[in-house]
Amino acid sequence: MRRSYWMIAIAALLALTLVVACGPKKTKPTIVEETLPTPAPTETQPAQPTPTPTGWGETATTTPTEEGDDPYNLRAVYFDFDRYDLRPEAQASLNRYAQVLRKNADIKLRLEGHCDERDTEEYNLALGDRRANAVYRYLVDLGVAASRLTPISYGEAYPADPGHNEAAWALNRRVEFKAVR
Amino acid sequence: MMTGTSRHAGGCANRRGVGAAMSIAGAAFALCVMVGAAAPAQTPTPAQGASPAAAAATGAPAPASGRSEIEIKHGVSMRPKMAIAVPNPTIQGAKPGLFEGSATLRDVLRNDLDWSGVFSLLSPSYYDLVPPHDASAIPYHEWASIGAEYLVHLTTSVEDGQFVCEARVYEVKSGRNMVLQKRYRTEFSSARYVAHMLSDSIVLQLTGVNGVASTRLVFVSDRTGGRAREIFMMDYDGFNQIQVTRNGSLNMSPDWSPDNDTLVYTSYARGFPDLYALSKGASAGKAIVSGREFHSAPAWSPDGNTIAFTTTWKSDTEVFLCDRNGGSHRRLTISAGIDTSPAWSPTGREIAFTSERSGRKQIWITDAEGLNPRMLTREGDNDSAAWSPDGSKMAYVARHGISNDIMVYDVKTGQDLQLTQDTGSNESPTWSPDSRLLAFESSRNGSKQVYVMEANGANLHAVTSAGQNSQPDWSHWNH
């Protein structure tokens, strides 16, 4: 009993030293656990301090990428559910946008692919990427320099319409065009 | 009765799982008949979910006590739970903090045992029927008469400024044996972690497979506002929610390394979907696979050496493998259409994934070398596979109409169990390390939240409430 008292005192002192040395991080609590004998045979459990969430977490905050704007009013093109092929209306829009891009050689565009909420987040991230890349390839095939276009997916994370109905979902299945420097 | 120390919304012991089980009774009738016919000849093992790996990790022999029958309820095979009573601790002394610490210990222990999938907590409203007594004169027949099979006797005190708890677990019905005796000493602020350790020890002692009360979940939350979706971490019961990523961008799909030391996730911190790794104690995540292409859905192999992930290859979306530093890329799938959401088998020899190659999203399985791909699901629209750690089941998501439901496929019987129905959209199933519980995200109450339930859909609890919370991943057992 006295020995365990000293061991705990030393452990407490060590913990205190670690706290002082490591700065404002929270002290990791120590739990001393003993398994005592019972009438039925049982194996002794070794004492294990429970890991707690202290020690996890980023401290740095980085500035998120600027979002870009839409000064040439290139409206979004839309897709069918679970599809990434370009509808005739989408192709018509992209034909017009290719002309705008030819006339304004300095424009660079981010092609942002989005989905409605119905499929899983991971699948939707991939589907948004397929949509953005479908637009990308179509524009490149029309002669737009690939280096001016950046396809990127946001999956279902940023709906245009937060509603939970067909009308909202139709507005969320889209590729948006954002001008970037 | 909870004293507010656990953080889940929606109260405790929500029995919606039983309702769901009843509503699919018709679909499971064949299973009921099959198992009912075979029941007399069955001798199932008491340690459900025990595997050689789990037994080796816990180092404990299978117990002699514990139920072994399988009872058929509502067409769903459910192991009957052991009724356990946790009366108020005997508090020795009147030091500051001792009462609160003892109440926390009692409440968290009751919660842990009730959520464990192994015990049902005997309602404390019955405990007053047993006359007050101390440890030396337990009236076992009185406890048995109100239905207790096991009794946890707690004694708390203060020793040199530390919180001390002594716990004795008694088998009430037969033999009146003391089956476990433990003593804990710690700071008062760790009282709930003592309860977690004790609950796990009780589960281990009486089933041979450790409990998960000391494990944690990571998940994605929008609570920091704006376009940021940051990764958070919490205890499995929703307590102690802390922010892990702080890059102000979109972060998704967190996955624990097998040693619980590193999280791998998708992050847009550099403007594009990259694979990031953040280790415990590190002050920032590190991009391990990056560039202007698409990277997502990372999944650690069980041996910790390989990460499966999704990326773009020749204008298509495929599953790739890399080493734990993000190097040595090799392609796993090749098919037109999206292949994503890889999930390793517990042996590491196979990988399940979602593929559209047959026309609709289905769960496929391939060898870890990419050979021999074969369909697991054939009909409907299926996604988001998750192998149970004991290898006996596969959870996945099936789309029914406009909502998604959690399904569990039993490898041995070939049966599919639908765990959710008409309750919004339910996705991202993740198994507890003992394969008894599932965490998942659900929109059933209007916003996306993380829920925990038993692997048969019963005993459902919300564990988050602030903002919208999704994509949980359950940690592995602590090493």
Side-chain angles (χ1 to χ4, degrees), chain B residues 84-86 108-121 152 198-200 202-203 236:
Chain B
I84 191 162
V86 183
V108 175
L109 181 63
R110 285 176 177 173
N111 204 54
D112 286 342
L113 293 168
D114 195 54
W115 288 30
S116 65
V118 169
F119 295 102
S120 66
L121 180 74
V152 183
L198 175 57
S199 177
D200 285 347
I202 297 172
V203 169
Y236 91 111

Side-chain angles (χ1 to χ4, degrees), chain B residues 139-421:
Chain B
Y140 294 105
H141 61 284
E142 308 263 11
W143 283 107
S145 74
I146 62 167
E149 297 175 64
Y150 291 92
L151 174 68
V152 183
H153 196 281
L154 300 168
T155 307
T156 56
S157 58
V158 178
E159 226 169 275
D160 305 313
Q162 292 215 298
F163 178 66
V164 174
C165 164
E166 290 181 8
R168 293 181 187 85
V169 182
Y170 299 93
E171 185 181 11
V172 169
K173 270 195 176 159
S174 59
R176 289 96 183 256
N177 291 326
M178 177 168 53
V179 296
L180 186 67
Q181 186 176 190
K182 296 282 230 179
R183 189 172 194 275
Y184 301 89
R185 174 207 282 267
T186 188
E187 294 106 39
F188 284 94
S189 56
S190 297
R192 69 183 304 119
Y193 295 102
V194 169
H196 290 329
M197 291 177 80
L198 175 57
S199 177
D200 285 347
S201 293
I202 297 172
V203 169
L204 175 64
Q205 183 67 20
L206 296 178
T207 69
V209 177
N210 206 0
V212 297
S214 299
T215 59
R216 296 199 293 283
L217 291 160
V218 284
F219 60 100
V220 177
S221 182
D222 70 352
R223 65 186 69 177
T224 57
R227 285 166 68 92
R229 305 285 186 268
E230 304 276 16
I231 291 168
F232 280 69
M233 185 182 294
M234 61 184 174
D235 298 348
Y236 91 111
D237 59 3
F239 198 77
N240 202 10
Q241 299 189 14
I242 62 166
Q243 185 171 348
V244 174
T245 60
R246 282 196 171 79
N247 51 54
S249 69
L250 175 61
N251 298 278
M252 292 177 58
S253 300
D255 192 61
W256 290 90
S257 64
D259 61 7
N260 289 334
D261 204 59
T262 304
L263 295 174
V264 67
Y265 52 100
T266 305
S267 179
Y268 286 63
R270 291 156 43 133
F272 292 93
D274 296 327
L275 296 189
Y276 267 67
L278 173 64
S279 294
K280 180 170 178 175
S283 60
K286 197 176 58 155
I288 59 170
V289 182
S290 64
R292 294 163 83 85
E293 322 82 49
F294 170 79
H295 308 98
S296 74
W300 284 93
S301 64
D303 68 4
N305 293 326
T306 310
I307 296 171
F309 65 101
T310 303
T311 188
T312 313
W313 183 73
K314 290 197 191 313
S315 304
D316 205 347
T317 312
E318 306 285 6
V319 178
F320 268 66
L321 305 176
C322 66
D323 63 31
R324 58 179 297 139
N325 299 310
S328 302
H329 292 202
R330 47 203 186 283
R331 185 172 44 76
L332 187 78
T333 64
I334 178 162
S335 81
I338 293 172
D339 295 280
T340 186
S341 295
W344 293 82
S345 71
T347 60
R349 288 199 293 268
E350 293 177 306
I351 297 173
F353 61 100
T354 302
S355 180
E356 295 183 313
R357 62 187 69 185
S358 69
R360 295 187 76 175
K361 293 201 289 299
Q362 301 297 346
I363 310 293
W364 286 68
I365 298 177
T366 180
D367 299 346
E369 292 79 35
L371 301 173
N372 194 22
R374 53 221 184 263
M375 290 176 101
L376 179 72
T377 63
R378 296 185 171 273
E379 289 165 8
D381 190 307
N382 302 290
D383 196 351
S384 209
W387 291 86
S388 66
D390 65 2
S392 71
K393 297 182 189 57
M394 176 93 74
Y396 63 99
V397 173
R399 181 138 55 78
H400 298 129
I402 60 168
S403 34
N404 294 319
D405 286 311
I406 307 293
M407 311 286 295
V408 173
Y409 170 79
D410 187 306
V411 172
K412 240 193 315 221
T413 65
Q415 295 293 323
D416 258 331
L417 198 60
Q418 181 172 341
L419 302 191
T420 64
Q421 184 171 349

Side-chain angles (χ1 to χ4, degrees), chain A residues 2-181:
Chain A
R2 284 188 73 79
R3 199 164 62 139
S4 66
Y5 173 82
W6 279 113
M7 282 168 60
I8 287 157
I10 288 166
L13 195 64
L14 268 170
L16 189 65
T17 313
L18 278 167
V19 169
V20 171
C22 299
K25 285 215 179 102
K26 240 168 78 177
T27 312
K28 183 171 163 182
T30 342
I31 301 175
V32 178
E33 176 191 13
E34 295 171 68
T35 303
L36 303 165
T38 63
T42 178
E43 288 192 21
T44 313
Q45 313 272 348
Q48 278 178 26
T50 302
T52 65
T54 56
W56 276 103
E58 287 187 314
T59 53
T61 305
T62 60
T63 318
T65 319
E66 60 179 89
E67 287 181 27
D69 52 20
D70 178 24
Y72 295 94
N73 197 24
L74 303 179
R75 316 237 318 220
V77 297
Y78 297 91
F79 295 81
D80 291 337
F81 181 54
D82 271 359
R83 309 283 309 202
Y84 47 88
D85 44 314
L86 296 166
R87 308 204 288 229
E89 314 88 71
Q91 294 185 29
S93 296
L94 293 178
N95 293 340
R96 274 201 320 279
Y97 300 172
Q99 290 185 356
V100 173
L101 289 165
R102 271 198 286 276
K103 287 197 186 107
N104 301 275
D106 55 320
I107 303 175
K108 289 182 162 176
L109 288 179
R110 205 162 64 223
L111 313 172
E112 297 182 349
H114 299 266
C115 305
D116 73 40
E117 61 184 345
R118 282 176 287 175
D119 290 315
T120 65
E121 277 107 343
E122 279 183 359
Y123 176 81
N124 277 332
L125 205 65
L127 181 59
D129 182 72
R130 299 277 93 239
R131 287 173 175 162
N133 276 283
V135 168
Y136 168 85
R137 270 197 306 283
Y138 190 87
L139 290 173
V140 167
D141 286 348
L142 288 180
V144 180
S147 58
R148 298 172 64 188
L149 303 171
T150 304
I152 185 167
S153 170
Y154 293 108
E156 64 178 76
Y158 305 129
D161 186 325
H164 307 291
N165 50 58
E166 287 286 356
W169 296 331
L171 291 174
N172 295 330
R173 299 190 296 269
R174 72 201 189 279
V175 169
E176 288 185 2
F177 302 84
K178 300 273 172 66
V180 291
R181 263 159 253 307

